[in-house]
Amino acid sequence: MYIHNRLLFCVSFFIVFYLNTAARADPVTAVTPTPIPYEKISFLHYLSGAGATRLSMPTDVAVDEKGVYVVDGANHRIVVFSHAGKFAYAFSGEGNGQGKLNSPVGIAVDRGKIYVADRENRLIQIFERDGRFVRQFRVVSRGKAVRPIDIAVSKNGREYYVSGNRNHRLMVFSPLGKLLREWGGDGLNQGQFRFPGSVLVLPDSRVAVVDVLNSRVQMFNKKGKYSVQIGKWGVLPGQLVRPKGVAIDNNNNFYVSDSYMEVIQVYDDKTRLKYVLQPENISHRLVTPAGITIDRQGRLYIAEVLKDRVSVFQLQKK
C-alpha cells in the first residue's frame, strides 16, 4: 500500500516538475505551475502502549484537560494516556452487554463524558472519564439499526451528531437517543454522502462531515443546510483520495487526514489549501492516518491505524 501511495504522490510531483520545466522552456504558452507548499511539524512522541496495553488498529482520538482518549478498535476498548504520552488506564472490552464494545470507531469527549460510536453493536455509548458506564442508546434511522462511525456533541450539549455508514446520513439525536432530524442520503450531490465518517462541531456551530468516498469534507449549519466543502477527488495538493479525519485549530484552519495518500493537508477558513504538513524527520512519516484532533497547546494527535499508534506533533505557533 505504501509503495502504491508514494507512486501516486510522485505522479503529482512529476506533474509539478513538468509544468515548471514547460514554463521555463516557453513562458508565453506554458501552464502556470502549482508548487506543493509544505509546513514542518515537530514530532513529540507516540501513544502506543506495550504488552497487554498495546494499541491495535486505533481509529480515532480525543483530548481534554485531563488526558488523551484513543479508540483501540481491534481490542474493542478505550485506552487513556497522559498528555506526556504515559499509559494511564483502559476500559471496556469486546461484547454486547452494557458498557461493552464491538469494533468501536469514533470518539468524542465533552463536559467530562466520553462518547463512543460502537459500530457493530449499533450503539452510542457514554462513559465517565474513568470508564464507568453511564448510558447508551441504539442508533436507529427509518426503522433500521445503523452502524455509527463517529459522534460529535453540540456546543450546548443537547444534540449529538452521528454519522451512519450504510445509510449515508448524518443523524441528530437527543441525549436520550431520540432521533431529532437527519440529512444526506447516498449520492454525489451537495448535501449527499457516500459513507460519511468523522464529524466535528465547529466554533460557529456548523457541522463538518468527512464524506469519505466522495473525497471531500462537507459543512452544514446545525439544521442541515449545506454551507461549503473542502477538497475533491484527486492526487494533487488541495485534492483528496480517502479523507478520514478533520480538525480545526485556534486560527480556524482546517486539518484533513488522507489515509490513502498518507498526508495531512491544511486549509484556511475560506477552504483554500495552505500547505501539506511534513514531519521534520522522515522516520516519523505518517502511515494510514485516520482520526485527528488538536489540543489547546497546538499539539496534533493522529491515529495511524496500520501502525497501531497515535502520533503526536507540535504545530508551529503563528
Side-chain angles (χ1 to χ4, degrees):
M1 175 182 286
Y2 174 69
I3 294 175
H4 192 191
N5 293 357
R6 296 303 97 195
L7 178 62
L8 282 175
F9 209 52
C10 283
V11 168
S12 69
F13 274 102
F14 174 79
I15 292 172
V16 172
F17 175 78
Y18 172 80
L19 290 175
N20 275 299
T21 302
R24 288 194 298 269
D26 186 356
V28 176
T29 60
V31 178
T32 302
T34 306
I36 299 175
Y38 285 104
E39 178 87 349
K40 296 285 188 180
I41 51 175
S42 301
F43 174 76
L44 296 177
H45 52 257
Y46 291 126
L47 308 177
S48 59
T53 66
R54 185 164 183 81
L55 300 178
S56 180
M57 300 186 71
T59 53
D60 201 7
V61 56
V63 63
D64 68 6
E65 70 277 8
K66 296 292 186 179
V68 184
Y69 311 87
V70 181
V71 178
D72 189 12
N75 288 321
H76 314 280
R77 64 185 178 181
I78 306 301
V79 180
V80 184
F81 296 87
S82 71
H83 293 122
K86 183 179 179 180
F87 170 82
Y89 54 93
F91 62 88
S92 195
E94 185 174 12
N96 55 18
Q98 198 172 74
K100 293 294 184 179
L101 301 170
N102 188 355
S103 299
V105 181
I107 191 170
V109 58
D110 183 76
R111 296 172 174 84
K113 299 289 191 298
I114 299 171
Y115 301 79
V116 181
D118 185 4
R119 185 181 65 186
E120 294 305 316
N121 282 331
R122 277 78 162 177
L123 296 171
I124 295 300
Q125 300 220 45
I126 304 168
F127 301 86
E128 298 286 358
R129 273 201 191 99
D130 60 8
R132 287 177 295 163
F133 174 78
V134 176
R135 66 181 184 276
Q136 62 184 211
F137 63 84
R138 197 156 179 79
V139 180
V140 177
S141 168
R142 304 187 174 194
K144 295 183 179 180
V146 177
R147 290 182 176 93
I149 300 301
D150 198 18
I151 176 170
V153 180
S154 67
K155 297 180 77 63
N156 62 14
R158 297 175 184 171
E159 295 185 334
Y160 302 162
Y161 300 93
V162 178
S163 56
N165 191 309
R166 299 287 176 86
N167 71 339
H168 310 285
R169 291 180 174 272
L170 195 285
M171 299 161 285
V172 187
F173 293 91
S174 72
L176 296 180
K178 179 183 177 181
L179 181 63
L180 303 175
R181 59 189 179 278
E182 58 183 340
W183 64 84
D186 189 7
L188 306 173
N189 297 327
Q190 291 179 353
Q192 294 181 311
F193 303 110
R194 294 172 66 214
F195 296 95
S198 295
V199 184
L200 175 68
V201 174
L202 305 177
D204 61 6
S205 295
R206 286 184 299 164
V207 183
V209 184
V210 176
D211 188 5
V212 178
L213 289 192
N214 282 330
S215 304
R216 63 190 179 186
V217 178
Q218 297 195 74
M219 287 174 240
F220 306 85
N221 72 12
K222 61 184 180 180
K223 298 298 183 182
K225 182 179 179 182
Y226 172 83
S227 171
V228 71
Q229 79 174 46
I230 291 174
K232 61 180 180 179
W233 189 91
V235 299
L236 296 177
Q239 299 175 336
L240 301 165
V241 179
R242 286 292 178 269
K244 287 295 179 68
V246 61
I248 190 169
D249 67 16
N250 293 330
N251 297 315
N252 292 319
N253 295 310
F254 295 95
Y255 295 66
V256 181
S257 64
D258 190 326
S259 66
Y260 194 84
M261 297 303 295
E262 301 183 326
V263 296
I264 308 288
Q265 299 195 67
V266 182
Y267 302 79
D268 65 19
D269 58 1
K270 304 297 183 184
T271 73
R272 298 169 300 199
L273 177 72
K274 294 186 71 173
Y275 42 77
V276 179
L277 295 182
Q278 186 178 61
E280 290 180 333
N281 191 318
I282 193 171
S283 65
H284 298 131
R285 68 173 178 84
L286 301 178
V287 178
T288 59
I292 59 177
T293 194
I294 300 171
D295 69 15
R296 292 179 180 177
Q297 286 69 44
R299 293 178 292 225
L300 172 65
Y301 301 78
I302 307 167
E304 296 183 81
V305 180
L306 297 184
K307 292 298 285 187
D308 300 329
R309 68 192 184 194
V310 172
S311 293
V312 186
F313 292 89
Q314 181 67 56
L315 300 172
Q316 291 190 13
K317 291 185 169 78
K318 301 295 184 180

